Amino acid sequence: MSKTKDLTYEKAMAELQGIVTQMQEDEINVDELSEKAKRAAFLVKYCQDKLRKIEEEVSGLFEE
């Protein structure tokens, strides 16, 4: 599981969806839960930041 190197929006979303699926299907044991929750929080923030940056870039294109 990569931290940020080579992380793309698509990879982050796929990993996040995998974590959610594992949680829904009770595949994560108590020992892993904290780490998975922290990783999920990181991935959500990463995706939000990425989308915000793209939105600003696209808005800038139309303002010029």
Side-chain angles (χ1 to χ4, degrees):
M1 161 170 51
S2 67
K3 289 293 180 189
T4 55
K5 186 179 179 181
D6 300 324
L7 187 61
T8 64
Y9 180 84
E10 290 79 17
K11 288 178 183 178
M13 283 300 296
E15 185 178 345
L16 186 57
Q17 289 171 340
I19 292 171
V20 169
T21 299
Q22 289 175 333
M23 287 179 165
Q24 289 174 333
E25 296 176 1
D26 294 327
E27 293 178 5
I28 298 176
N29 64 43
V30 174
D31 297 324
E32 294 177 305
L33 186 58
S34 177
E35 286 303 313
K36 292 286 186 174
K38 288 176 188 175
R39 181 64 177 171
F42 167 80
L43 292 168
V44 167
K45 182 174 178 355
Y46 175 85
C47 289
Q48 288 174 332
D49 291 346
K50 191 83 162 174
L51 288 173
R52 193 171 296 113
K53 181 180 176 186
I54 292 169
E55 181 180 26
E56 290 170 3
E57 290 175 5
V58 170
S59 293
L61 293 173
F62 292 105
E63 291 175 2
E64 294 177 359

